[in-house]
Amino acid sequence: MLGKLDEIRSKAIDELSSIGDLRGLEDWRVRYLGKRSALTQALRVLAELPLEQRRGVGAVANEVKAILERSHRQKKEALKEKAYQQMEAAVKFEKIDVTLPGRPIPLGRLHPTTQVLRQICDIFLSMGFQVVEGPDVEWDYYNFEALNIPRDHPARDMFSTFWIDVETPSGELPMLLRTHTSPMQIRVMERTRPPVRVVVPGKIYRYEATDATHETMLYQIEGLAIDENITFLDLKGTLYEFARCLFGSQRKVRFRCDYFPFVEPGVEMAIDCFACGGSGCRLCGGSGWIEILGAGMVHPDVLRRVDYDPDIYTGFAFGMGVERIAMLTYGIEDIRLFYSNDLRFLRQF
Ligand code: YSA
């Protein structure tokens, strides 16, 4: 038994000296100190030896175990130190090729609607307008009542509405997703005195069927200018100048009478169709023109409602659809492309 223990010790120490990495060392530990190792087996049979032999052999077996454990610890330390030195040397002598091209960072970009919206705001900023914003969820009062569109007024049919599911005790629905940016005319005038010159960009919502030129969620930009002596000429001059800045002087602009309860008189402005050049196509519905905004002189009743004296102050307002303008700017034939999340479309802008 003593001879066997001596043999285990010298074989283990021999093998240990040739081990060069931590993985090899772990294999060695399992082989010589693990549960199934020859040494553990030898320690197990100790119990079967007569008492006088057991003492002597037991002491030797424990001593061999202690030697192997100590050797294992020392070897582990030495191997760790060696690995650390190798790493240090690698870092010291490693060469970095600074001429290698870097990995491209994927960059996002602004949505075409946002790009056009910013261009439009910049044009009006250059004319002295301020940019303000308002809530998407609006009261019936601001969206309709204050703009001369009372309940049961036929003009409410023009603004197919998403109502918010909150009822008053009398069963009315007083909140909605705004159907245009015009409610901001009232909010701005309620909190400022003339002169007023603002543009209001923002989302609006229409509960209607979609087609090549109609969406249920879209952006509008509202404009409002109130002061003494503002006339229809100012309205036309401002909107012509806007169209010239955005589309260039070649594009044709058309004004026609239109009806909005909150203006008197009211107009719509259209640009000649980019797709057919004015001869008529599917996009412009055969008319040769694409309507981009409604406008007019602010109605005296609207001014009175916010305590502006219509005998002193007059003003004009307009509201334009941003996607329709982006379509004209980029030659896009279907408005539904804007929000269908197709990256092949969006990456072009
Ligand atoms: C009129 C007079 C004012 O003094 C001030 C503002 C206005 C505009 C009014 N509030 C309004 O919303 N008129 S509108 O219903 O004709 O819409 C204005 C513009 O928004 C349209 O010319 C069109 O460019 C765009 N638009 C309207 N509904 C749309 C739409 N664009 C895409 N999809 C829809 N469903």
Side-chain angles (χ1 to χ4, degrees), residues 159 179-180 182 185 206 208 213-215 218 220 222 260 262-263 291-296 317-321 324 335:
F159 302 101
T179 57
H180 52 169
S182 301
Q185 291 187 28
R206 300 257 170 120
E208 59 188 19
T213 53
H214 291 84
E215 257 296 357
L218 60 132
Q220 279 191 343
E222 191 80 6
F260 301 97
F262 39 99
V263 288
E291 178 207 318
I292 57 163
L293 61 86
F318 56 85
M320 63 181 81
R324 296 256 181 104
I335 197 169

Side-chain angles (χ1 to χ4, degrees), residues 47-63:
E48 291 158 21
L49 293 176
L51 187 61
E52 59 281 11
Q53 273 188 35
R54 205 190 304 165
R55 280 215 188 96
V57 175
V60 173
N62 280 328
E63 194 189 338

Side-chain angles (χ1 to χ4, degrees), residues 8 11-12 14-16 18-19 23-41 68:
I8 292 172
K11 198 165 169 236
D14 244 23
E15 276 185 31
L16 191 62
S18 61
I19 286 173
R23 177 180 281 225
L25 180 65
E26 178 58 12
D27 290 346
W28 180 92
R29 187 193 66 75
V30 172
R31 229 171 20 254
Y32 287 102
L33 291 165
K35 276 186 197 152
R36 292 202 195 135
S37 65
L39 183 60
T40 309
Q41 304 297 333
L68 296 192

Side-chain angles (χ1 to χ4, degrees), residues 175-279:
M175 285 166 91
L176 46 89
L177 294 182
R178 66 178 174 190
T179 57
H180 52 169
T181 40
S182 301
M184 276 305 287
Q185 291 187 28
I186 307 297
R187 287 183 177 274
V188 168
M189 290 191 284
E190 273 181 349
R191 59 177 191 235
T192 13
R193 301 302 303 167
V196 174
R197 275 169 191 58
V198 291
V199 283
V200 187
K203 285 196 204 97
I204 68 141
Y205 307 84
R206 300 257 170 120
Y207 185 44
E208 59 188 19
T210 58
D211 61 26
T213 53
H214 291 84
E215 257 296 357
T216 51
M217 191 286 295
L218 60 132
Y219 282 82
Q220 279 191 343
I221 296 186
E222 191 80 6
L224 177 68
I226 308 278
D227 208 342
E228 293 178 30
N229 302 319
I230 289 197
T231 68
F232 198 80
L233 196 62
D234 297 306
L235 181 155
K236 277 189 95 174
T238 306
L239 292 178
Y240 264 122
E241 177 58 9
F242 155 72
R244 195 189 60 79
C245 289
L246 195 65
F247 303 116
S249 47
Q250 313 306 323
R251 297 311 283 267
K252 290 195 203 122
V253 176
R254 182 186 74 177
F255 281 96
R256 283 205 313 192
C257 289
D258 202 350
Y259 171 68
F260 301 97
F262 39 99
V263 288
E264 182 55 42
V267 288
E268 62 141 67
M269 182 171 131
I271 307 282
D272 59 326
C273 176
F274 64 88
C276 62
S279 57

